[in-house]
């Protein structure tokens, strides 16, 4: 059980900024901008942005600097420009994926595909910033260590891109056998005759890509004695991701961004102290973003 968030942490400038952002989500503002854009005579979002007032009020939400806030996300809204006459359509994983499936495995129509993908990316950017603000004051290192001795899980996995593998001073295990398997396979991958998670922590190349496996009671080699990250400004993407995840689109193959399904859910990891402290705010965040919410334990 994580320690409760202290009063000192709650009164810190970073915590207050994170809380403010969590209680004023960007998606309702983006949604309004998308409706205005689609209905108006605009070909590019910049044209709409110029016409917006600085302050905007919507239901319980007040955006005193709406224009400046939206400007931080406008690059992620540009796939909607594909629907305007004269603009080209760039269907690629970096812009618009070719197929997202609904819960029955049927492809979404093009408009819903674009909308889901844009929403996933907008929320990912916003929640990454909120995570960075809320994590520091908690003085917690849970994301950087393996499960405790008597935990239900044997290991903690941190997915990595190929370029991030060299950031860690750990053994690398990459073979035809590892590349055929996933960490959760039963029976598990064996290293020197024992399940991989009973061996020491290492970097593996799995069927779905690279990851660091932290075994029970292990810690990331980049975690310093004072609890900070030795490569903080260069840390992998997974370490920047929040414990409140946008799960609007689920990707079941991180290697090449295929097998995408619509989930329209916010996933919050219950092990994290700020998730426990802000449960009702996270539920409200999800409601304002028109998404379901799931709280899940990761390391129990
Ligand atoms: S790289 Fe840094 S942030 Fe990521 S797990 Fe290691 S110590 Fe933690
Ligand atoms: S569990 Fe939460 S507070 Fe702890 S290190 Fe991870 S993100 Fe930060």
């Amino acid at each position: 059980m994580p320690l409760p968030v202290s009063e000192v942490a709650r009164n810190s400038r970073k915590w207050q900024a994170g809380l403010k952002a969590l209680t004023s989500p960007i998606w309702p503002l983006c949604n309004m901008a998308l409706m205005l854009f689609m209905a108006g005579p605009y070909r590019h979002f910049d044209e709409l942005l110029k016409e917006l007032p600085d302050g905007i009020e919507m239901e319980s939400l007040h955006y005193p600097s709406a224009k400046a806030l939206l400007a931080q996300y406008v690059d992620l809204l540009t796939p909607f420009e594909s629907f305007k006459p004269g603009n080209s359509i760039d269907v690629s994983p970096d812009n618009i994926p070719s197929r997202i499936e609904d819960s029955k495995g049927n492809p979404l129509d093009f408009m819903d595909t674009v909308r889901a993908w844009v929403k996933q990316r907008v929320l990912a950017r916003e929640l990454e910033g909120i995570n960075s603000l809320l994590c520091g004051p908690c003085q917690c290192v849970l994301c950087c260590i393996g499960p405790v001795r008597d935990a239900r899980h044997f290991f903690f996995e941190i997915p990595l891109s190929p370029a991030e593998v060299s950031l860690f001073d750990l053994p690398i295990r990459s073979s035809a056998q590892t590349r055929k398997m996933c960490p959760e396979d039963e029976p598990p991958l064996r290293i020197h005759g024992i399940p991989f998670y009973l061996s020491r922590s290492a970097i593996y190349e799995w069927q779905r890509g690279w990851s660091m496996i932290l075994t029970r009671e292990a810690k990331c080699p980049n975690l310093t004695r004072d609890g900070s990250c030795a490569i903080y400004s260069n840390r992998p993407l997974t370490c920047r991701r929040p414990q409140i995840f946008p799960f609007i689109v689920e990707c079941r193959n991180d290697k090449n961004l295929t097998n995408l399904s619509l989930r329209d859910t916010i996933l919050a990891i219950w092990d994290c102290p700020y998730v426990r402290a802000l449960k009702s705010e996270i539920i409200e965040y999800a409601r304002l973003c028109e998404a379901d919410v799931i709280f899940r334990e990761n390391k129990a």
Side-chain angles (χ1 to χ4, degrees):
M1 163 99 65
L3 289 173
V5 180
S6 70
E7 274 310 301
V8 175
R10 286 172 189 263
N11 288 328
S12 67
R13 190 185 49 79
K14 278 187 158 189
W15 180 275
Q16 290 298 320
L19 181 59
K20 189 171 169 208
L22 188 65
T23 50
S24 321
I26 184 71
W27 183 248
L29 188 60
C30 288
N31 216 5
M32 184 210 69
L34 289 172
M35 282 193 284
L36 290 174
F37 177 74
M38 293 306 288
Y42 317 102
R43 198 169 152 197
H44 298 287
F45 265 101
D46 291 349
E47 299 159 22
L48 169 69
L49 207 55
K50 279 189 200 135
E51 291 186 5
L52 280 183
D54 280 335
I56 292 179
E57 304 230 7
M58 302 164 57
E59 295 184 41
S60 58
L61 296 168
H62 176 47
Y63 300 97
S65 313
K67 206 168 178 162
L69 192 59
L70 207 52
Q72 296 171 33
Y73 294 87
V74 83
D75 59 311
L76 301 180
L77 306 183
T78 53
F80 273 84
E81 294 178 353
S82 313
F83 295 102
K84 291 295 182 140
N87 290 342
S88 59
I89 302 176
D90 171 14
V91 179
S92 67
D94 281 343
N95 195 47
I96 309 169
S98 56
R99 179 184 172 108
I100 297 177
E101 296 177 352
D102 66 15
S103 57
K104 294 182 179 146
N106 300 316
L108 300 183
D109 67 28
F110 188 54
M111 175 69 94
D112 287 343
T113 299
V114 173
R115 186 180 173 75
W117 194 239
V118 165
K119 188 173 176 182
Q120 170 70 27
R121 297 177 88 192
V122 166
L123 267 59
R125 181 179 290 177
E126 178 174 57
L127 287 170
E128 185 181 318
I130 291 174
N131 174 68
S132 296
L133 290 165
L134 295 175
C135 173
C138 293
Q139 299 200 310
C140 161
V141 293
L142 201 66
C143 290
C144 311
I145 58 175
V148 293
R149 184 191 295 256
D150 56 354
R152 187 159 42 93
H153 299 297
F154 282 93
F155 63 89
F156 177 50
E157 182 188 15
I158 298 184
L160 301 172
S161 71
E164 292 164 347
V165 168
S166 61
L167 294 171
F168 299 88
D169 184 14
L170 284 174
I172 292 182
R173 305 202 192 283
S174 170
S175 65
Q177 193 189 10
T178 66
R179 287 192 291 274
K180 271 193 293 192
M181 300 189 72
C182 293
E184 52 283 339
D185 280 353
E186 282 295 340
L189 172 74
R190 296 182 84 81
I191 301 290
H192 305 311
I194 56 173
F196 72 96
Y197 47 74
L198 297 181
S199 178
R200 60 173 293 203
S201 297
I203 307 280
Y204 290 83
E205 187 180 17
W206 305 102
Q207 186 183 47
R208 62 174 177 239
W210 292 91
S211 68
M212 174 168 64
I213 297 293
L214 292 176
T215 55
R216 281 180 174 174
E217 299 193 298
K219 57 178 196 161
C220 171
N222 293 319
L223 183 64
T224 63
R225 280 174 183 227
D226 68 2
S228 60
C229 172
I231 56 162
Y232 187 78
S233 57
N234 206 19
R235 68 197 187 287
L237 188 60
T238 306
C239 301
R240 296 165 193 265
R241 283 185 179 154
Q243 295 299 294
I244 313 166
F245 293 89
F247 205 46
I248 306 305
V249 177
E250 180 189 15
C251 176
R252 292 188 297 279
N253 187 343
D254 278 347
K255 223 170 184 175
N256 52 10
L257 280 179
T258 54
N259 289 349
L260 303 172
S261 303
L262 184 69
R263 292 282 178 262
D264 240 341
T265 296
I266 302 294
L267 181 59
I269 304 302
W270 194 236
D271 316 54
C272 173
Y274 67 70
V275 168
R276 288 187 186 230
L278 298 172
K279 183 180 178 190
S280 55
E281 287 83 355
I282 294 168
I283 292 171
E284 180 62 3
Y285 176 93
R287 187 190 72 77
L288 290 166
C289 294
E290 300 170 313
D292 295 329
V293 61
I294 294 176
F295 292 90
R296 194 183 76 191
E297 274 186 324
N298 227 7
K299 285 192 173 177

